[in-house]
C-alpha cells in the first residue's frame, strides 16, 4: 500500500500525466519538464533527452509515439501511461531502491511468473512441453506474489508458461484486482479471441507479446502447422479493438537471418506491433536441441540489425542478450527481474531452472535473500564485457559455481538436469562468441576503428 507521501506524489504525477491526453507535440515537452524536476537523481535523464530529440526531429521514435494516439484506445493509453510511468518507473523504482538498502538484497523491477505449465502447443526445444498440465499456481498464490511485490516497489508482472492464457479468467481477475499494475504475457496467441480482446479493453492494463518465430514456415516449424495464421488473426483482432501488443521472438540457427531481416520487422510493424522482445535459443531441458543454438556470426548479425533498425523503424525493441551493455550485464537474480515457475519455485531467470526456495512456503523477500539469489547479487556482472552477460551461455562455469555454492537444485520435476551437464552444452557457443563480443565491445567503446 502506498504511504501518504507516495499518494501525494501520485496525485501530482497523475495531474501532470493528463498532459498526455491530447496533442502530444505540444504537451509531451511540458510533461518532460515536469518529470525532470521531480526526478532529482536524474534517473531517467537519457529518456527525457531521447524523447525531446524524437519530437524535434520527427524521426522513427516520433512516429511510434504518435501511433500510440492514433492506434490505441484513449482509456487504455491513459491507464498504461499511469501504471507504467508513475507506478512502475517512478514511484516503484524509488521504493525498490529503498527496499534494496533496507534489506541488502536485489529487488526486481519486474516479476515473471507461470500461472500454469499447461500449453496447447508442443514446440520443438521448449522445456514447458515436458511438464504438460501437471503444475500450476492457484489464484491466491499469484495474488500474494503481486501483493508482496508491490510492498517492495514492483508494479510490472509478466506471465509465461506453459501458455498463460490457459488461465484467462484468473489473469483478467488479477488485472482488475491490481489495477495499479502493468501486466504482460508471453503467449502463443492462439487463445486470443474477440471475447478475450473485449476483456482486455475493459481492464486496460494487460498487454500480450505474441510469439512469432519468423514467417509462416519458420513459426510452424517449431510451433506446429497453422500457428502463424492464428497469431496473425490474433494481431488483427487486437488491432481492430485498438489494443496495444507486441511480438516475442527467439532466434536460433535455423531462423536468425529471417528474424533479423527488414521484411520481418516491417511485417510486425504493419500488423500493429509496438514493441518486440528478442531472445536467443537456450538449450534448457533434457529435450533441448543444442543444434538450434545460434552461431557467433548469427548473434553478431542480430546485434547490428537490431541497432540499425532502431534508427529507422517505429518499434521499441529489447534484445535480451545483445543489449547487456545498456543494463550493465545480467538483469536476472532479482537485479531487475526474477522468475517463479508453475510449481512455485523461485528461479533467478526464466532460462535458469535451479532454485533453493518455493513461494508457496516462503515470502518473496525470503527468496530474494536466499543463497542462490545472494550469489547472483555478489557475482553480477559476470563479465566486464557486458555483451557477454549470461552466466550460462557466455561465462562457462559461473552458473554451476553459484548453484553448487548455494545448494540449489534442478526444478525440472520430470528430468532433473545437472548444472554441469547443462553448462557443457554451451561451452562451444561461449568459446566462439568470446572473440566476437570482445571486438564488438571494443568498437562500441571507441577503442578501435570499425567501419560498422
Amino acid at each position: 500500500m502506498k504511504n501518504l507521501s507516495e499518494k501525494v506524489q501520485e496525485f501530482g504525477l497523475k495531474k501532470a500525466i493528463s498532459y498526455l491526453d491530447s496533442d502530444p507535440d505540444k504537451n509531451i515537452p511540458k510533461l518532460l519538464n515536469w518529470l525532470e524536476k521531480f526526478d532529482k537523481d536524474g534517473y531517467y535523464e537519457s529518456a527525457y533527452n531521447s524523447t525531446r530529440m524524437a519530437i524535434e526531429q520527427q524521426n522513427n521514435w516520433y512516429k511510434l509515439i504518435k501511433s500510440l494516439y492514433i492506434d490505441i484506445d484513449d482509456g487504455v493509453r491513459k491507464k498504461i501511461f499511469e501504471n507504467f510511468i508513475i507506478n512502475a518507473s517512478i514511484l516503484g523504482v524509488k521504493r525498490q531502491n529503498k527496499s534494496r538498502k533496507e534489506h541488502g538484497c536485489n529487488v526486481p523491477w519486474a516479476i515473471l511468473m507461470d500461472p500454469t505449465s499447461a500449453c496447447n502447443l508442443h514446440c520443438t526445444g521448449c522445456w514447458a512441453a515436458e511438464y504438460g498440465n501437471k503444475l500450476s499456481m492457484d489464484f491466491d498464490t499469484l495474488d500474494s506474489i503481486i501483493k508482496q511485490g508491490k510492498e517492495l516497489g514492483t508494479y510490472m508482472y509478466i506471465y509465461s508458461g506453459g501458455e498463460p492464457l490457459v488461465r484467462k479468467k484468473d489473469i483478467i481477475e488479477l488485472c482488475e484486482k491490481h489495477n495499479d499494475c502493468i501486466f504482460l504475457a508471453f503467449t502463443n496467441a492462439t487463445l486470443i479471441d474477440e471475447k478475450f480482446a473485449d476483456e482486455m479493453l475493459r481492464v486496460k492494463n494487460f498487454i500480450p507479446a505474441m510469439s512469432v518465430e519468423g514467417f509462416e514456415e519458420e513459426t510452424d516449424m517449431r510451433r506446429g502447422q497453422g500457428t502463424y495464421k492464428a497469431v496473425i488473426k490474433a494481431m488483427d483482432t487486437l488491432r481492430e479493438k485498438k489494443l496495444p501488443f507486441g511480438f516475442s521472438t527467439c532466434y536460433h540457427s535455423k531462423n536468425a537471418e529471417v528474424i533479423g531481416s527488414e521484411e520481418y520487422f516491417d511485417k510486425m510493424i504493419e500488423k500493429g506491433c509496438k514493441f518486440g522482445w528478442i531472445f536467443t535459443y537456450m538449450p534448457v531441458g533434457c529435450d533441448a536441441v543444442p543444434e538450434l543454438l545460434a552461431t557467433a556470426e548469427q548473434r553478431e548479425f542480430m546485434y547490428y540489425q537490431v541497432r540499425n533498425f532502431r534508427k529507422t523503424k517505429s518499434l521499441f525493441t529489447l534484445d535480451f542478450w545483445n543489449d547487456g551493455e545498456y543494463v550493465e550485464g545480467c538483469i536476472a537474480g532479482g537485479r531487475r527481474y526474477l522468475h517463479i515457475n508453475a510449481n512455485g519455485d523461485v528461479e533467478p531467470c526464466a532460462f535458469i531452472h535451479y532454485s533453493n526456495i518455493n513461494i508457496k512456503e516462503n515470502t518473496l523477500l525470503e527468496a530474494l535473500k536466499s543463497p542462490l539469489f545472494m550469489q547472483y547479487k555478489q557475482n553480477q556482472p559476470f563479465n566486464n564485457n557486458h555483451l557477454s552477460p549470461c552466466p550460462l551461455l557466455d561465462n562457462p562455469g559461473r552458473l554451476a559455481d553459484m548453484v553448487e555454492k548455494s545448494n540449489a537444485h534442478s526444478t525440472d520435476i520430470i528430468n532433473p538436469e545437472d548444472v554441469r551437464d547443462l553448462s557443457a552444452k554451451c561451452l562451444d557457443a561461449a568459446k566462439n562468441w568470446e572473440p566476437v563480443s570482445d571486438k564488438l565491445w571494443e568498437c562500441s567503446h571507441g577503442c578501435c576503428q570499425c567501419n560498422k
Side-chain angles (χ1 to χ4, degrees):
M1 182 178 293
K2 294 184 177 73
N3 58 37
L4 179 60
S5 174
E6 287 174 327
K7 288 180 179 179
V8 171
Q9 293 175 48
E10 180 184 31
F11 176 79
L13 286 165
K14 282 186 175 180
K15 293 290 286 185
I17 213 168
S18 65
Y19 280 133
L20 295 179
D21 286 347
S22 62
D23 197 353
D25 291 339
K26 178 181 177 181
N27 290 326
I28 288 178
K30 291 181 181 179
L31 176 65
L32 292 175
N33 292 337
W34 199 96
L35 291 176
E36 206 161 27
K37 292 177 183 177
F38 182 85
D39 183 16
K40 293 181 174 58
D41 297 328
Y43 198 83
Y44 296 106
E45 183 178 358
S46 61
Y48 305 143
N49 294 336
S50 297
T51 304
R52 287 193 181 97
M53 185 180 298
I55 293 173
E56 290 171 3
Q57 297 178 354
Q58 298 199 5
N59 59 18
N60 57 305
W61 294 104
Y62 169 83
K63 293 177 182 177
L64 178 59
I65 292 170
K66 291 285 281 189
S67 76
L68 300 179
Y69 288 81
I70 298 168
D71 301 340
I72 306 302
D73 175 83
D74 291 344
V76 172
R77 184 182 63 249
K78 182 178 180 181
K79 170 59 73 174
I80 289 172
F81 280 166
E82 287 182 355
N83 289 5
F84 182 80
I85 295 175
I86 296 174
N87 294 334
S89 301
I90 297 180
L91 298 181
V93 167
K94 285 193 172 187
R95 191 184 290 187
Q96 290 162 31
N97 290 336
K98 181 180 178 182
S99 298
R100 290 184 188 108
K101 291 178 182 178
E102 180 180 349
H103 299 293
C105 61
N106 283 333
V107 174
W109 181 76
I111 292 177
L112 178 66
M113 53 188 182
D114 303 347
T116 179
S117 64
C119 185
N120 58 323
L121 300 182
H122 196 288
C123 304
T124 302
C126 176
W127 62 81
E130 298 178 19
Y131 302 146
N133 60 0
K134 296 179 177 62
L135 308 176
S136 66
M137 287 191 284
D138 61 27
F139 180 90
D140 289 342
T141 301
L142 296 167
D143 181 42
S144 176
I145 291 168
I146 298 167
K147 286 178 180 176
Q148 293 179 64
K150 288 197 291 187
E151 287 297 316
L152 296 172
T154 304
Y155 286 83
M156 174 71 74
Y157 295 88
I158 307 171
Y159 297 113
S160 58
E163 169 48 51
L165 294 190
V166 169
R167 300 278 299 278
K168 286 181 182 180
K169 182 178 180 294
D170 286 338
I171 284 175
I172 290 296
E173 189 174 341
L174 288 166
C175 287
E176 287 183 292
K177 187 169 184 179
H178 299 281
N179 66 357
D180 52 352
C181 293
I182 285 285
F183 294 93
L184 283 80
F186 293 114
T187 172
N188 62 42
T190 60
L191 300 178
I192 293 176
D193 53 19
E194 291 271 348
K195 183 178 178 181
F196 185 69
D198 286 337
E199 287 292 270
M200 287 174 57
L201 192 58
R202 181 174 65 83
V203 297
K204 298 179 172 56
N205 58 343
F206 178 81
I207 305 173
M210 305 186 204
S211 298
V212 195
E213 303 292 308
F215 295 105
E216 187 168 14
E217 179 182 351
E218 295 80 19
T219 298
D220 289 1
M221 183 273 289
R222 277 197 71 197
R223 299 182 176 273
Q225 188 173 0
T227 304
Y228 180 79
K229 289 180 179 177
V231 174
I232 295 302
K233 181 180 179 181
M235 289 182 174
D236 291 340
T237 297
L238 296 187
R239 190 173 187 182
E240 289 171 7
K241 302 281 186 181
K242 302 194 77 172
L243 286 161
F245 60 90
F247 70 91
S248 170
T249 192
C250 174
Y251 68 89
H252 49 75
S253 62
K254 305 298 183 183
N255 73 346
E257 289 73 20
V258 173
I259 295 298
S261 69
E262 188 163 20
E263 291 78 9
Y264 175 73
F265 272 69
D266 286 345
K267 182 67 173 180
M268 295 297 99
I269 295 170
E270 175 197 329
K271 299 310 296 181
C273 292
K274 301 304 178 188
F275 62 89
W277 302 152
I278 302 168
F279 299 88
T280 191
Y281 179 76
M282 298 284 280
V284 177
C286 294
D287 286 348
V289 184
E291 293 76 20
L292 286 177
L293 277 165
T295 66
E297 292 76 17
Q298 288 172 321
R299 189 166 165 183
E300 180 182 23
F301 167 74
M302 290 300 300
Y303 172 93
Y304 283 117
Q305 290 297 94
V306 172
R307 279 161 176 71
N308 288 335
F309 292 152
R310 283 176 181 154
K311 300 173 184 176
T312 59
K313 307 293 182 188
S314 303
L315 185 76
F316 179 80
T317 53
L318 285 175
D319 182 340
F320 284 86
W321 272 261
N322 287 338
D323 282 344
E325 64 179 303
Y326 302 126
V327 291
E328 299 181 340
C330 172
I331 62 172
R335 180 170 169 259
R336 290 294 179 265
Y337 101 105
L338 57 79
H339 177 241
I340 305 175
N341 70 17
N343 193 46
D345 299 307
V346 188
E347 302 169 337
C349 175
F351 300 96
I352 305 299
H353 296 179
Y354 298 90
S355 177
N356 53 20
I357 201 162
N358 192 285
I359 201 66
K360 297 176 182 178
E361 302 163 356
N362 302 92
T363 67
L364 180 60
L365 184 57
E366 287 170 341
L368 290 165
K369 290 183 173 182
S370 70
L372 181 56
F373 277 78
M374 293 306 293
Q375 279 289 314
Y376 262 76
K377 184 178 187 298
Q378 293 162 14
N379 283 278
Q380 288 166 322
F382 299 106
N383 197 315
N384 290 327
N385 175 351
H386 297 322
L387 294 176
S388 291
C390 182
L392 172 59
L393 185 61
D394 302 322
N395 297 276
R398 296 302 294 275
L399 174 65
D401 288 345
M402 292 190 296
V403 168
E404 291 170 354
K405 286 178 181 177
S406 61
N407 292 316
H409 63 273
S410 171
T411 57
D412 188 324
I413 63 171
I414 297 176
N415 294 301
E417 187 168 26
D418 183 271
V419 68
R420 294 288 174 182
D421 293 339
L422 171 63
S423 298
K425 300 176 190 175
C426 301
L427 288 176
D428 288 342
K431 179 181 178 182
N432 294 333
W433 175 243
E434 183 177 10
V436 178
S437 67
D438 285 347
K439 179 196 70 174
L440 293 173
W441 185 252
E442 290 171 1
C443 288
S444 66
H445 288 74
C447 300
C448 73
Q449 298 297 318
C450 179
N451 292 329
K452 294 184 179 180

